[in-house]
């Protein structure tokens, strides 16, 4: 590929050779180190390609071998410029395009994120934008080493990262820890608590329920397995009592409570939707348009108004690139318009049931994504004059809690008993 490009830049000609001793001519070219390529024979005529410099050295060789030569074609940049030497606008356009390419090559136009699972692409792109390392950022403003350190410090689940820049492409390779182990006491604290200089934090129940299991890593447990709790009850206190030799509490050491608590609770579910609704019917008719998108601007060629009254639009984009790592902020767009008609319809009993089941399944999926284990579900649908109502309950097992600043000391029964003895 590179050799072919060099030949094209220097220019070459395709010639036909015939005469008394063409084989001797070829041997003379070899002895004088004159390069020829793509040699082929058709009858008594030889065809080959030769560079412009080599062609200028052929006259004495042709005379020695008694052969003749004729130019069949000319290729390369020197002949291109000579052919269009009077078209100044063309060359001005070429200069402008080269200047644009050089200018655009100094910015990032493509970002590849590899190895992420828990950290989404949108989260990483938003982080890069906050660090001024996103699309359209000047290459000189990106410090890859500093960016690697900031990514590791911002995302606890990332244990290794590599940021490299190739052409106009920024590649972020990350490796996540499957089991996040963070020794910081405030690692799981919400942001509103992390900035506060407090001594301790308790774990409070988010819902009413029953404790199925509890494993405390830090803090003092205030409930046991099988206990019923109310919303806001302290499950684990951030106050650790300190005893003297006689078993009396003399002080408290405060920490951020940490525990795995499985709480069996019940969610109330309620949903309603109108019986009358707008039904969309696709006709199957499509119209295709093609255009170019430059950053946020879209240009369609040729511009033609869509003949449909109602339609949906779907775009397929392909980014322009010169080589593997040299992308440009130009996209070729294939736009598809799907025609549809809308009409007023009323849900039947079966259609309403299907629609309600779909909404309920989406609700359960969102709970599952939050790590909630579904144990039981009981829902029913009621039909009214103008709407359908779905209600019921869902029994789940969840490991959720909320933080609160430690304000009350842990009650200590032994300490209270000692205090009674002393008063007596």
């Amino acid at each position: 590929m590179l050799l072919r490009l060099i030949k094209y830049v220097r220019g070459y000609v395709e010639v036909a050779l015939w005469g008394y001793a063409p084989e001797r001519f070829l041997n003379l070219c070899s002895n004088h180190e004159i390069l020829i390529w793509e040699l082929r024979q058709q009858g008594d005529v030889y065809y080959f390609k030769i560079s412009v410099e080599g062609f200028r050295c052929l006259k004495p060789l042709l005379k020695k071998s008694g052969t003749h030569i004729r130019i069949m074609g000319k290729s390369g940049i020197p002949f291109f410029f000579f052919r269009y030497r009077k078209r100044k606008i063309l060359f001005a356009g070429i200069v402008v395009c080269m200047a644009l390419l050089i200018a655009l090559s100094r910015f990032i136009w493509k970002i590849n994120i590899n190895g992420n699972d828990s950290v989404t692409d949108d989260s990483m792109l938003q982080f890069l934008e906050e660090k001024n390392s996103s699309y359209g950022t000047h290459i000189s403003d990106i410090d890859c080493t500093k960016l690697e350190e900031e990514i590791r410090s911002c995302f606890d689940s990332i244990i290794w990262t590599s940021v490299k820049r190739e052409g106009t492409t920024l590649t972020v390779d990350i490796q996540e820890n499957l089991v996040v182990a963070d020794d910081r006491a405030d690692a799981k604290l919400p942001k509103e608590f992390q900035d506060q200089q407090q001594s301790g934090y308790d774990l409070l129940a988010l819902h009413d329920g029953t404790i199925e299991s509890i494993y405390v890593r830090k803090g003092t447990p205030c409930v046991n397995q099988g206990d019923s709790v109310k919303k806001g009850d302290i499950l684990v206190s951030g106050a650790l009592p300190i005893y003297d030799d006689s078993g009396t509490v003399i002080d408290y050491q405060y920490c951020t409570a940490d525990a795995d608590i499985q709480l069996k609770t019940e969610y109330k579910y309620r949903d309603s939707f109108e019986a009358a609704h707008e039904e969309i019917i696709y006709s199957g008719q499509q119209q295709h348009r093609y255009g170019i998108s430059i950053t946020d601007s879209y240009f369609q060629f040729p511009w033609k108004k869509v003949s449909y009254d109602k339609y949906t639009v779907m775009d397929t984009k392909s980014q322009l690139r010169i080589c593997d790592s040299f992308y440009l902020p130009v996209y070729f767009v294939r736009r598809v318009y799907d025609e549809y008609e809308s009409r007023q319809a009323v849900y039947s009993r079966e259609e309403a049931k299907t629609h309600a089941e779909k909404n309920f399944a989406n609700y359960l999926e969102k709970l599952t994504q939050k790590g909630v284990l579904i144990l039981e579900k009981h829902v029913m649908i009621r039909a009214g004059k103008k709407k359908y109502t779905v209600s019921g309950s869902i029994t789940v097992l969840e490991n959720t809690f909320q933080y609160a600043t430690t304000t009350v000391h842990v009650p200590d029964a032994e300490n209270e008993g000692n205090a009674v003895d002393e008063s007596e």
Side-chain angles (χ1 to χ4, degrees):
M1 181 65 183
L2 181 60
L3 183 60
R4 185 181 301 175
L5 180 61
I6 294 175
K7 292 176 181 177
Y8 186 81
V9 171
R10 299 178 63 181
Y12 61 90
V13 294
E14 184 177 1
V15 298
L17 175 71
W18 73 93
Y20 176 70
E23 291 81 4
R24 184 185 179 190
F25 170 82
L26 298 175
N27 290 332
L28 289 173
C29 289
S30 178
N31 292 335
H32 287 79
E33 297 182 352
I34 298 176
L35 178 64
I36 63 175
W37 66 92
E38 295 186 16
L39 176 65
R40 67 185 189 277
Q41 182 181 5
Q42 293 182 359
D44 295 334
V45 182
Y46 289 85
Y47 296 91
F48 59 86
K49 294 179 181 179
I50 187 171
S51 65
V52 176
E53 294 84 354
F55 181 81
R56 292 171 180 170
C57 302
L58 295 182
K59 189 173 182 180
L61 305 184
L62 293 171
K63 187 175 181 180
K64 287 182 181 181
S65 59
T67 53
H68 305 278
I69 200 168
R70 177 183 295 173
I71 297 176
M72 305 301 294
K74 301 177 182 179
S75 301
I77 291 181
F79 299 109
F80 174 82
F81 282 110
F82 182 79
R83 187 180 302 117
Y84 299 103
R85 62 188 180 279
K86 295 183 179 180
R87 301 187 179 182
K88 298 180 180 179
I89 296 180
L90 174 63
F91 290 106
I94 294 175
V95 172
V96 171
C97 289
M98 294 298 295
L100 285 175
L101 287 176
I102 294 174
L104 293 175
S105 65
R106 300 178 181 273
F107 298 87
I108 295 296
W109 302 116
K110 179 71 173 180
I111 298 178
N112 295 324
I113 303 174
N114 305 317
N116 57 316
D117 187 16
S118 61
V119 180
T120 62
D121 289 350
D122 292 339
S123 300
M124 184 59 66
L125 290 175
Q126 183 178 359
F127 171 81
L128 294 176
E129 186 174 356
E130 293 174 356
K131 299 300 180 181
N132 297 322
S133 302
S134 187
Y135 296 101
T137 305
H138 199 280
I139 290 177
S140 61
D141 296 337
I142 297 179
D143 188 346
C144 294
T145 303
K146 182 180 179 181
L147 197 58
E148 291 173 356
E149 296 176 355
E150 291 175 341
I151 291 175
R152 289 194 296 268
S153 62
C154 180
F155 299 95
D156 297 332
S157 60
I158 297 178
I159 60 175
W160 176 86
T161 181
S162 172
V163 180
K164 57 184 178 180
R165 188 188 67 246
E166 295 179 353
T168 60
T169 303
L170 184 69
T171 303
V172 180
D173 296 316
I174 62 178
Q175 183 177 351
E176 299 177 339
N177 191 4
L178 299 180
V179 179
V180 180
D182 201 328
D183 294 333
R184 294 182 302 155
D186 60 346
K188 298 181 180 180
L189 281 177
K191 291 183 178 180
E192 59 267 21
F193 285 108
Q194 292 181 10
D195 297 333
Q196 299 178 11
Q197 300 298 325
Q198 299 291 343
S199 56
Y201 297 94
D202 299 335
L203 302 184
L204 308 184
L206 270 176
H207 307 284
D208 298 348
T210 304
I211 302 297
E212 290 292 312
S213 64
I214 178 171
Y215 173 75
V216 179
R217 283 184 288 269
K218 280 186 178 181
T220 303
C222 299
V223 294
N224 297 313
Q225 182 178 0
D227 290 350
S228 297
V229 296
K230 298 291 184 180
K231 179 180 179 180
D233 288 352
I234 299 178
L235 305 180
V236 180
S237 174
L240 300 173
I242 301 175
Y243 300 91
D244 60 7
D245 295 338
S246 62
T248 304
V249 177
I250 58 175
D251 198 359
Y252 290 92
Q253 181 180 357
Y254 297 96
C255 67
T256 300
D258 186 15
D260 288 332
I261 304 171
Q262 294 292 332
L263 178 67
K264 184 178 180 180
T265 184
E266 188 177 87
Y267 285 2
K268 298 297 182 181
Y269 178 78
R270 184 174 179 83
D271 183 28
S272 62
F273 52 90
E274 300 291 334
H277 66 284
E278 186 179 20
E279 186 177 16
I280 296 177
I281 302 175
Y282 286 93
S283 65
Q285 299 294 325
Q286 292 183 341
Q287 291 186 9
H288 299 262
R289 298 288 187 271
Y290 299 90
I292 295 177
S293 176
I294 302 176
T295 58
D296 295 332
S297 302
Y298 174 71
F299 306 94
Q300 186 171 288
F301 305 104
W303 177 258
K304 187 178 179 182
K305 187 177 180 181
V306 180
S307 59
Y308 305 144
D309 294 331
K310 297 181 179 180
Y311 54 85
T312 59
V313 181
M314 183 178 68
D315 289 344
T316 303
K317 292 185 177 182
S318 178
Q319 190 171 3
L320 176 64
R321 66 177 183 179
I322 298 178
C323 56
D324 291 340
S325 59
F326 193 166
Y327 285 83
L328 297 175
V330 180
Y331 298 83
F332 297 104
V333 182
R334 178 176 178 266
R335 180 165 289 186
V336 180
Y337 297 89
D338 284 320
E339 183 187 24
Y340 72 86
E341 295 179 355
S342 61
R343 65 182 183 184
Q344 291 297 321
V346 179
Y347 284 120
S348 65
R349 183 77 180 183
E350 291 298 324
E351 291 174 342
K353 181 180 178 181
T354 303
H355 184 74
E357 289 176 349
K358 182 179 178 181
N359 291 346
F360 186 59
N362 292 335
Y363 179 77
L364 294 180
E365 184 179 358
K366 292 179 181 179
L367 290 180
T368 305
Q369 291 175 354
K370 295 179 181 179
V372 176
L373 178 62
I374 310 297
L375 299 179
E376 298 177 3
K377 48 185 181 290
H378 304 282
V379 294
M380 61 183 304
I381 182 171
R382 294 182 178 86
K385 293 182 178 180
K386 295 183 178 181
K387 65 166 46 179
Y388 289 90
T389 304
V390 185
S391 60
S393 61
I394 307 169
T395 304
V396 302
L397 195 64
E398 62 178 3
N399 181 19
T400 57
F401 43 77
Q402 60 182 353
Y403 283 93
T405 305
T406 301
T407 55
V408 180
H409 295 317
V410 177
D412 187 79
E414 184 177 352
N415 185 33
E416 292 177 358
N418 293 336
V420 171
D421 292 340
E422 290 175 0
S423 63
E424 291 177 355

